[in-house]
Amino acid sequence: SLDRIRNASLRDKVMSAEQAAEFVKNGMNLAITGFTGAGYPKALPTAIANKAKAAHERGEAFSIGMVTGASTAPECDGVLAEANAVHFRSPFQSDPTLRNNINAGRTAYQDMHLSHVEQQMRQGFYGEFDIAIIEASGITEEGHIIPAMGIGHGVEAIKCAKHVIVEVNAAQNAGLEGMHDVYGEVGLPPHRKPIPLVGAFDRIGTPYIECAADKIVAIVLTNGGDRNSKFADPDDVSIRIAAQIIDFLDHEVKAGRLPKSLLPLQSGVGNVANAVMAGLLDAPFEDLTGYTEVLQDGMLDLILAGKMKHASATALSFSPDALQRFNDNIEFLRDKLILRPMEISNNPEIIRRLGIIGMNAMIEADIYGNVNSTHVMGTKMMNGIGGSGDFTRNGFFSFYVSPSTAKGGAISSIVPMVSHHDHTEHDVMFIVTEQGMADLRGKSPKQRAKLIIENCSHPDYRDMLRDYYDRALAVSEKAGGIHTPHILLEALSWHQRFVETGDMRIK
Ligand code: 0RQ
C-alpha cells in the first residue's frame, strides 16, 4: 500500500507503529483525529499504550493529554484508557473504559461544544500540541493529506502541532479522494471574515489538507476498518418518536411554513436518530438535504433511495452493512456527500444561516424544557455534549428525543429539575418521547410545564409530576416568585431517591 503515498520523498518516512511511537514522550499533548468511530488512527494508540504499560511496570510515569474530534474506538481511546495512559481528554468520548477512568477521577475530561475545539486549539487554550496523529486514506504528489472517513479537527491538528505522524490506511476506499472540502480560514477575532458557505452543499475549500513535508516525522501504513457498530433495528419506541417528528414536519409543509424539501437536517447519534432517518424514507418529502456532523446509515440510505439530494458531515459512521453499500456505490455518492472540518460542520454562523432542523437524543429533560445530555444522576459522565449544543442553540428547529423512561421504568426521563444543565429552556424547542410531543416555542415556563407533563411523561410518573408542579406553584407563590415554580429542596429528590433505592418511584 506504499502506492497510497504518491509523494515519493515522503515514502522514506514510513516506519512501524512502534518506531513512530518513540516520538511520543511522557507528558506530551497530542491532537489525535477521530470522530464517532471514523478517521481515528488504528495502530499508534496500541503502540503508545504498550509503551505506557512498560513504563508503568518499571515504576515510571507515562501518560498523554489527548484532544480528538469526538469519540474514537476500542483500539484508540479503549487501549489508551486500559493502559491508564491518558491524564487529560477532550472534547467527546464514548468508550466504556475511558468513561470509567473519567468517572473514577483517573482522567481529567473537558466536555465541550465541538464547534469550539479548533478555535481553542488555535488560541492555545489547551497549551501547545507536541504531536498530531492523523488518519489518511492517502497522500498526494504534492504531499497533501487526503483524509479518510472523517476530518473532525484534523486541519487544525496539523496546523498547530509541532510534529505530525500520519497513518495511511489502505483499507479505506481510495474513492474517498475528492469528497472532502477543507476550509481552514476561520481564523481568530478580530480578523475573521464571513465563512462563504450559503448552501449546505457548497464547496469552499480544497479536497486535501495541506501539510509542510518537514512537519511529518513518521508515516505508518495500516489496513484496518473503522468502528462500524451495528444499529439495532428501530424498536416500537423509536418508531413512535420518529413518526411524531415526521408528522409535525409534514404539518409544517402543508401549512406552507416549510418547503417540501424541508431544511437541511442534522441528526445526532444513536438508534432513535437513525429511526427518524429511516422513517423519512417513506415520508412525503422530496429532495431532502443533510447538514450534520455524523452521517449514519439512515442518511446514507436516504441518498441511495433518491430521497435526499446530498449531505454534508464531518464524519461517516456506518454499520458494516452500510459501509458495504457506501463502498459499492462510491461513484454515485461522490457528488452527493461532502466531508468538512468540524469547525465548519458545527459552525454556529452556518447552522443559523442554513436554518438547520436539529434532532438530538437526551438523558433527561425537566418540566420547563431544560435538557441534560451528559450526566447520569447529576455526577456521572456519559459521553459529552458533542455537537448537540451547536445545533440546539443555532438551529431553526431543535428537537430533543428520548424514551420517556430508562432502566426498565425505574427512571423517568422527564423530571422536576434536570440534574445537570446542557441545553437551557431558552434553546430547546421540542421534546419528543414515545408518549407525545411538546412544542415549546413561544411558551412561558408554566405553559411549557403543562405540555411536557401531559404530552411527554410516562403514565407511571405523570401524577407525580402533576403533584410536584401543583405544590411547587403554591410554595413559590408564598415565596413571591411563580415565574418558574420549584420546591428547591425537593426538585432533585427524584434523583436522590434513585441513588438510594434504585427507583425514582415512591414505593
Ligand atoms: O444505557 O446502554 O447502559 O442501557 O443511557 O441511552 O436510550 O440508548 O439513547 O444511545 O441515543 O444515548 C444522550 C447518551 C443518549 C446520547 C445520549 C441510559 C440508557 C442507556 C443510552 P445502557 P439510549 P442513545 C451528535 C450529537 C450527547 C451528544 C450528542 C449522547 C444509555 O445521545 O451522548 O447529542 N448525547 N451529540 O439506559 C440514566 C436517564 C437515562 C439513562 C438514558 N435519564 N438516566 N440513564 N440512559 N436516559 C454526535 C456528536 O456530537 C459526536
Side-chain angles (χ1 to χ4, degrees):
S1 55
L2 258 186
D3 54 347
R4 291 278 181 120
I5 308 171
R6 302 204 295 259
N7 178 299
S9 64
L10 279 174
R11 290 186 188 158
D12 298 341
K13 297 194 177 163
V14 172
M15 61 184 79
S16 71
E18 290 67 32
Q19 287 169 320
E22 286 307 306
F23 289 101
V24 180
K25 311 275 188 241
N26 176 39
M28 277 187 167
N29 204 15
L30 270 62
I32 301 181
T33 57
F35 201 103
T36 49
Y40 59 92
K42 309 294 185 284
L44 263 172
T46 299
I48 298 168
N50 288 341
K51 262 187 85 164
K53 280 190 207 156
H56 296 163
E57 271 161 29
R58 293 193 302 270
E60 293 165 16
F62 189 101
S63 64
I64 57 166
M66 173 172 173
V67 176
T68 62
S71 54
T72 65
E75 66 266 42
C76 184
D77 272 323
V79 289
L80 288 163
E82 206 256 322
N84 205 9
V86 184
H87 59 254
F88 176 82
R89 179 74 171 78
S90 193
F92 185 84
Q93 51 76 41
S94 65
D95 182 81
T97 314
L98 176 60
R99 183 187 295 135
N100 279 344
N101 285 358
I102 290 167
N103 284 313
R106 286 188 287 271
T107 299
Y109 176 51
Q110 188 201 16
D111 165 26
M112 61 177 223
H113 297 301
L114 299 186
S115 70
H116 284 174
V117 173
E118 287 111 310
Q119 71 171 6
Q120 300 205 2
M121 291 171 76
R122 198 175 295 139
Q123 181 69 347
F125 287 10
Y126 288 110
E128 293 198 335
F129 283 92
D130 300 288
I131 294 177
I133 305 177
I134 310 290
E135 186 180 58
S137 60
I139 297 181
T140 68
E141 288 76 7
E142 299 77 19
H144 301 321
I145 291 170
I146 309 162
M149 295 286 272
I151 300 183
H153 71 343
V155 180
E156 196 57 38
I158 287 174
K159 270 194 196 161
C160 69
K162 289 175 218 157
H163 302 295
V164 175
I165 301 176
V166 188
E167 279 198 5
V168 178
N169 187 348
Q172 302 293 2
N173 198 319
L176 281 166
E177 185 170 3
M179 271 194 190
H180 309 96
D181 186 56
V182 173
Y183 178 82
E185 310 306 320
V186 177
L188 282 171
H191 307 294
R192 279 190 178 148
K193 302 225 161 55
I195 299 167
L197 191 150
V198 291
F201 209 65
D202 286 358
R203 284 194 165 271
I204 56 173
T206 56
Y208 48 73
I209 309 177
E210 276 181 40
C211 179
D214 58 357
K215 255 199 178 184
I216 300 179
V217 292
I219 299 177
V220 175
L221 300 177
T222 62
N223 197 339
D226 284 316
R227 190 177 63 193
N228 302 126
S229 354
K230 216 178 130 23
F231 288 102
D233 284 332
D235 58 4
D236 187 44
V237 164
S238 313
I239 291 170
R240 276 155 72 184
I241 292 173
Q244 296 174 74
I245 295 181
I246 291 167
D247 276 356
F248 170 79
L249 295 173
D250 189 30
H251 181 262
E252 291 299 290
V253 171
K254 289 191 175 126
R257 286 187 291 265
L258 274 180
K260 213 172 160 89
S261 55
L262 304 181
L263 289 165
L265 302 170
Q266 176 262 344
S267 140
V269 283
N271 292 321
V272 176
N274 218 39
V276 176
M277 293 300 124
L280 285 170
L281 271 175
D282 306 313
F285 313 121
E286 303 300 333
D287 292 335
L288 296 169
T289 56
Y291 196 85
T292 189
E293 46 188 349
V294 199
L295 190 144
Q296 297 178 307
D297 297 20
M299 252 191 217
L300 175 72
D301 290 337
L302 284 172
I303 296 178
L304 290 174
K307 268 277 183 187
M308 184 171 270
K309 259 196 320 197
H310 46 63
S312 156
T314 191
L316 304 172
S317 185
F318 295 139
S319 68
D321 290 351
L323 178 66
Q324 190 63 47
R325 293 196 287 285
F326 171 79
N327 283 329
D328 290 347
N329 293 289
I330 197 149
E331 290 310 319
F332 171 79
L333 292 167
R334 185 185 311 287
D335 59 356
K336 296 172 188 71
L337 283 177
I338 286 187
L339 290 174
R340 308 181 189 279
M342 70 193 205
E343 188 170 30
I344 303 299
S345 64
N346 286 43
N347 194 284
E349 171 192 339
I350 293 170
I351 294 169
R352 186 69 65 94
R353 180 181 300 142
L354 298 180
I356 306 294
I357 298 177
M359 291 172 270
N360 291 286
M362 64 187 185
I363 287 179
E364 60 183 9
D366 67 26
I367 55 175
Y368 299 114
N370 298 290
V371 163
N372 169 11
S373 290
T374 56
H375 285 68
V376 173
M377 301 302 141
T379 66
K380 193 174 164 205
M381 173 52 66
M382 179 63 109
N383 302 324
I385 193 167
S388 56
D390 297 323
F391 289 94
T392 303
R393 168 68 54 86
N394 302 297
F396 194 67
F397 285 156
S398 58
F399 289 91
Y400 270 93
V401 300
S402 172
S404 63
T405 61
K407 304 294 172 206
I411 294 175
S412 174
S413 314
I414 307 296
V415 289
M417 183 186 268
V418 283
S419 59
H420 178 90
H421 283 75
D422 290 298
H423 313 291
T424 74
E425 51 155 328
H426 314 289
D427 299 333
V428 175
M429 297 183 201
F430 304 89
I431 305 250
V432 195
T433 70
E434 80 290 354
Q435 301 294 325
M437 163 144 114
D439 177 351
L440 308 177
R441 295 171 304 161
K443 309 278 189 325
S444 76
K446 291 201 286 294
Q447 292 170 327
R448 275 185 235 142
K450 289 266 181 236
L451 280 176
I452 295 173
I453 295 171
E454 300 307 325
N455 295 2
C456 302
S457 70
H458 191 276
D460 285 358
Y461 289 96
R462 201 168 291 153
D463 281 337
M464 283 171 70
L465 288 165
R466 286 175 182 148
D467 172 59
Y468 174 81
Y469 177 75
D470 290 343
R471 287 184 297 110
L473 197 57
V475 167
S476 301
E477 194 160 21
K478 267 195 207 137
I482 59 160
H483 180 65
T484 307
H486 267 307
I487 308 169
L488 290 176
L489 285 177
E490 194 181 316
L492 295 171
S493 63
W494 295 30
H495 300 86
Q496 185 62 29
R497 189 158 48 244
F498 179 82
V499 170
E500 286 167 10
T501 71
D503 206 314
M504 280 187 173
R505 289 166 292 202
I506 301 165
K507 286 269 151 59

